[in-house]
Amino acid sequence: MFSTFMRINNIFIRLSVLTFLTWFAGCSGKEKLTVNPKNGLLKSDIQLTRNGQKIINVSTADCELAGGYVAQDVNGIILKTTDVESMVTIQLYIYYNTLSDLVTNKVMPIIDVSDYNDLKPVCLGHVMFLNSQQQYYTSRGSLTLTAFDKSTGYASCQFSFTGTDLTGSKATFSGSFSNVPIYPDEDAFGNCAQSVPGLGNGTLTNPITTPTGEKTTVSFENTTFTPIEISLGGVNQTIQPAQKVTFQAKAGTQATFNATTSGKTSSGDIVGLKMEWSNSSVTFPTSGTSNVPLAVSGNYFFIMVRNNSVRKINRVLVNYQLQSGTTENLLITNDKQLYKLGYYKAFSNSNVRLENTDVNWNWSYSSSVLALSFKNNQSVTLNAN
């Protein structure tokens, strides 16, 4: 049985998504579950989070629900849903000895293939982001089958596991199914006809809204001085200064993205203020690629410092003695290198003060160095001589 399972898992890892689904369609276990698809579905709730962030959260919603048999020589069923709002598919493969094992509440491990030794109730997990083709495979976790009815073919469960994609990146997934219909054919989907789009706290959690159609591209350009972390459709990327990243979705799709940037110390602590693009909207073009430049508004300015003196700078005060003034203990060595600090509020009377225990350096709003333009991405370079 172990060799059979290894063969199945290797095929699972290597085949394309289309071939993978085709291969499973119509397979049957040794102990069959005989139920008839119902005319109407029970209310189904499906939730899925990645690293604590919701990516599926639907109630009798725009999703497809399916159950079926896992493989030719193995008893098993699939719990599967595709949220057509987010284009995220979650699949859980439950292996068992007899159906009686699944009738009562059952806690079972979600395993890595290296843990497999016999056909007791165990589970494998799989998360697939159809809009990016990114896939996560099971590493370890647990599943509690909270309900399973052989006569009606409905199952419910709670689960959590760590997934690893083909690049070695890891993510923690947790979630639950309720009232998922398990039919003899894996392709016998129950479509949630009366739906509310995938919602999380009242907003689309992953609004890549269409599973089919021509895809176009939005390019996000970093016009700031620091790396930007951006998230759209459940995909996270980093945009280096003067660089771009792209996202794809069906033409005309409206999506929400979130992004942040800030200056940072060598240890990763934020310097100055964090700049945010929160729940910002973007529309994918009718064809080709559209470019979205991300800029910091003229209400802020960026500070760069070069220490040409014989002393080290150990404190930075911006907008000193103003209501929004900041004080930071930052060590800037006297190596004459240009150091990027961070973003600060821009006022017509802004000032900057650099301190050492022996001497201070000051720039006021009347200084030509600190003559702010109040345009996007404004910056000042301060030389401590």
Side-chain angles (χ1 to χ4, degrees):
M1 183 59 67
F2 179 75
S3 61
T4 300
F5 186 85
M6 285 294 290
R7 174 178 59 81
I8 292 169
N9 189 72
N10 287 337
I11 293 174
F12 167 71
I13 294 291
R14 294 174 182 171
L15 291 183
S16 68
V17 173
L18 179 61
T19 305
F20 170 77
L21 295 177
T22 303
W23 183 78
F24 273 126
C27 291
S28 61
K30 291 181 290 185
E31 185 180 9
K32 294 183 178 181
L33 173 65
T34 303
V35 295
N36 295 316
K38 306 299 181 182
N39 293 329
L41 297 177
L42 297 176
K43 178 181 177 181
S44 298
D45 293 302
I46 302 98
Q47 297 185 28
L48 177 66
T49 64
R50 179 178 62 176
N51 294 334
Q53 182 178 3
K54 293 178 182 178
I55 53 178
I56 294 181
N57 182 27
V58 293
S59 177
T60 314
D62 281 340
C63 59
E64 292 181 315
L65 303 174
Y69 293 100
V70 174
Q72 295 171 340
D73 301 319
V74 182
N75 288 330
I77 58 176
I78 303 171
L79 298 180
K80 171 184 174 181
T81 183
T82 297
D83 177 9
V84 300
E85 284 291 328
S86 64
M87 294 303 294
V88 175
T89 294
I90 173 72
Q91 297 181 118
L92 299 173
Y93 307 84
I94 301 175
Y95 298 85
Y96 57 87
N97 286 308
T98 68
L99 286 169
S100 298
D101 292 332
L102 305 178
V103 174
T104 58
N105 292 357
K106 182 70 67 174
V107 178
M108 61 195 73
I110 298 180
I111 64 169
D112 187 275
V113 64
S114 60
D115 297 329
Y116 183 81
N117 50 26
D118 59 29
L119 195 61
K120 55 191 176 183
V122 297
C123 187
L124 293 178
H126 175 214
V127 181
M128 177 172 60
F129 296 85
L130 295 182
N131 58 329
S132 66
Q133 299 302 316
Q134 187 177 22
Q135 298 181 56
Y136 285 86
Y137 299 100
T138 303
S139 183
R140 284 174 178 81
S142 64
L143 176 141
T144 300
L145 198 66
T146 54
F148 180 74
D149 190 324
K150 286 196 298 183
S151 62
T152 63
Y154 283 96
S156 300
C157 73
Q158 296 178 335
F159 60 89
S160 63
F161 64 88
T162 300
T164 304
D165 67 14
L166 296 180
T167 69
S169 297
K170 291 186 177 181
T172 300
F173 295 91
S174 62
S176 62
F177 289 102
S178 72
N179 298 322
V180 177
I182 306 301
Y183 298 151
D185 183 351
E186 192 272 339
D187 280 345
F189 282 94
N191 293 300
C192 305
Q194 297 179 356
S195 62
V196 175
L199 297 179
N201 297 323
T203 58
L204 289 173
T205 55
N206 191 7
I208 302 298
T209 56
T210 49
T212 59
E214 179 185 354
K215 289 186 176 181
T216 60
T217 301
V218 169
S219 171
F220 290 90
E221 179 182 5
N222 184 350
T223 66
T224 76
F225 300 94
T226 49
I228 294 176
E229 304 294 331
I230 186 169
S231 175
L232 187 152
V235 178
N236 301 314
Q237 298 195 65
T238 300
I239 322 173
Q240 296 299 328
Q243 300 295 316
K244 298 179 181 180
V245 299
T246 59
F247 294 85
Q248 285 193 325
K250 183 185 175 183
T253 296
Q254 290 187 336
T256 298
F257 70 91
N258 292 279
T260 62
T261 192
S262 69
K264 290 185 178 180
T265 66
S266 57
S267 59
D269 295 326
I270 291 177
V271 177
L273 305 174
K274 180 188 288 187
M275 300 293 99
E276 296 184 278
W277 296 261
S278 181
N279 293 321
S280 300
S281 179
V282 66
T283 301
F284 284 77
T286 55
S287 63
T289 300
S290 64
N291 187 63
V292 178
L294 298 178
V296 173
S297 82
N299 294 322
Y300 302 88
F301 70 107
F302 190 79
I303 295 179
M304 292 178 277
V305 173
R306 181 183 284 109
N307 187 356
N308 301 315
S309 75
V310 296
R311 298 175 175 85
K312 295 179 181 180
I313 298 168
N314 52 34
R315 201 154 70 141
V316 176
L317 299 88
V318 181
N319 295 320
Y320 177 59
Q321 293 185 334
L322 298 182
Q323 186 174 0
S324 63
T326 61
T327 300
E328 297 169 294
N329 296 318
L330 300 174
L331 178 62
I332 304 176
T333 60
N334 55 338
D335 56 7
K336 299 183 180 180
Q337 299 296 312
L338 186 64
Y339 288 92
K340 295 181 177 181
L341 299 191
Y343 302 92
Y344 300 87
K345 286 290 291 182
F347 301 107
S348 58
N349 59 343
S350 284
N351 62 75
V352 180
R353 177 185 176 97
L354 307 179
E355 292 186 350
N356 175 273
T357 54
D358 300 320
V359 66
N360 300 327
W361 297 264
N362 295 278
W363 292 266
S364 69
Y365 63 92
S366 60
S367 166
S368 60
V369 176
L370 210 61
L372 302 177
S373 66
F374 299 97
K375 295 180 180 179
N376 288 352
N377 297 326
Q378 63 183 335
S379 68
V380 298
T381 301
L382 307 177
N383 289 287
N385 297 315

